[in-house]
Amino acid sequence: AQKVTQAQTEISVVEKEDVTLDCVYETRDTTYYLFWYKQPPSGELVFLIRRNSFDEQNEISGRYSWNFQKSTSSFNFTITASQVVDSAVYFCALREYTNAGKSTFGDGTTLTVKP
Amino acid sequence: SQTIHQWPATLVQPVGSPLSLECTVEGTSNPNLYWYRQAAGRGLQLLFYSVGIGQISSEVPQNLSASRPQDRQFILSSKKLLLSDSGFYLCAWSGQYTGELFFGEGSRLTVL
């Protein structure tokens, strides 16, 4: 069975601080997808990034960066120079590498960025 | 571009009443469709998914059912709501060979 653990339930930082959200996953599959989603107070989940299990190259997109380490089954998300608009619940998810592709979500990390 | 809409946005229903939440996708064909439920302060629980018209897979046996009468329409139903059905319901779609989910605005159901 697949499992995603986001050990940090809540994180609070002051604007312009860097913050890292942790994600650890468990799967018996050799091929899979990993994702991060953002859920602002409005409630609608927004896709941020997808990573295939065979691609361990880290990625940077503006202030966002992702560190995928297959050896430790981790897919961590770092926000550099955080802003108040980054305040949201962030979910890490693991998806089967099949057409139906069921996704398993972590419980989320609530990030609060204070001005 | 692709869009997804679900309605109603908010619903307050008495115990024992029926439920119908509807979701439609535009701008794509033959999407995979999903219904998730999010309890307060928790992650997302997959309820149903569909890879085609009339094809429904249930992940959690419960008081709910789903149907896909058209390629881009996905409906979540219940004949008699329970208090435990309260929650935030999210419809989502993905392409057949891509992985990311695109979510609707969500429907907040309160059962009293």
Side-chain angles (χ1 to χ4, degrees), chain B:
Chain B
S1 63
Q2 302 89 359
T3 59
I4 178 171
H5 296 291
Q6 63 177 103
W7 66 93
T10 304
L11 202 57
V12 180
Q13 292 287 98
V15 170
S17 64
L19 171 74
S20 180
L21 300 179
E22 190 165 340
C23 172
T24 60
V25 180
E26 298 293 334
T28 187
S29 59
N30 200 23
N32 291 338
L33 295 172
Y34 306 83
W35 278 112
Y36 282 87
R37 179 169 61 196
Q38 183 179 22
R42 299 296 301 276
L44 279 70
Q45 178 188 34
L46 178 61
L47 302 176
F48 302 94
Y49 67 94
S50 171
V51 299
I53 296 174
Q55 301 178 58
I56 308 295
S57 296
S58 174
E59 286 296 297
V60 183
Q62 54 198 331
N63 186 41
L64 303 171
S65 62
S67 62
R68 185 171 178 173
Q70 300 181 38
D71 181 44
R72 293 170 294 178
Q73 184 183 25
F74 205 25
I75 298 171
L76 182 69
S77 303
S78 174
K79 292 183 179 179
K80 290 184 177 181
L81 284 168
L82 306 173
L83 287 174
S84 57
D85 291 325
S86 293
F88 190 53
Y89 289 82
L90 289 151
C91 181
W93 76 272
S94 73
Q96 286 193 2
Y97 301 104
T98 61
E100 57 269 25
L101 294 168
F102 298 96
F103 288 86
E105 306 93 332
S107 298
R108 192 166 303 281
L109 171 65
T110 303
V111 183
L112 301 175

Side-chain angles (χ1 to χ4, degrees), chain A:
Chain A
Q2 299 184 329
K3 184 178 180 181
V4 176
T5 301
Q6 296 179 252
Q8 305 151 307
T9 304
E10 296 182 8
I11 299 177
S12 180
V13 300
V14 177
E15 205 169 21
K16 298 185 181 178
E17 287 185 3
D18 299 347
V19 58
T20 296
L21 309 182
D22 298 333
C23 174
V24 175
Y25 62 92
E26 297 175 26
T27 180
R28 293 185 178 181
D29 296 341
T30 56
T31 308
Y32 46 88
Y33 292 113
L34 292 164
F35 303 89
W36 276 95
Y37 294 88
K38 175 182 180 179
Q39 186 178 37
S42 61
E44 182 177 343
L45 272 86
V46 177
F47 161 72
L48 294 178
I49 190 171
R50 175 185 70 187
R51 175 61 68 222
N52 301 331
S53 57
F54 46 82
D55 178 7
E56 291 195 62
Q57 183 176 2
N58 292 327
E59 183 161 339
I60 298 174
S61 176
R63 296 184 297 106
Y64 296 172
S65 62
W66 292 269
N67 182 4
F68 175 37
Q69 293 192 352
K70 201 169 183 178
S71 61
T72 57
S73 297
S74 66
F75 186 41
N76 297 336
F77 173 29
T78 297
I79 301 175
T80 303
S82 59
Q83 300 176 0
V84 173
V85 294
D86 295 327
S87 296
V89 182
Y90 291 86
F91 291 95
C92 179
L94 170 67
R95 184 188 189 271
E96 300 171 335
Y97 202 78
T98 62
N99 178 28
K102 295 178 289 184
S103 292
T104 299
F105 284 77
D107 283 344
T109 297
T110 300
L111 173 65
T112 302
V113 181
K114 299 178 180 179

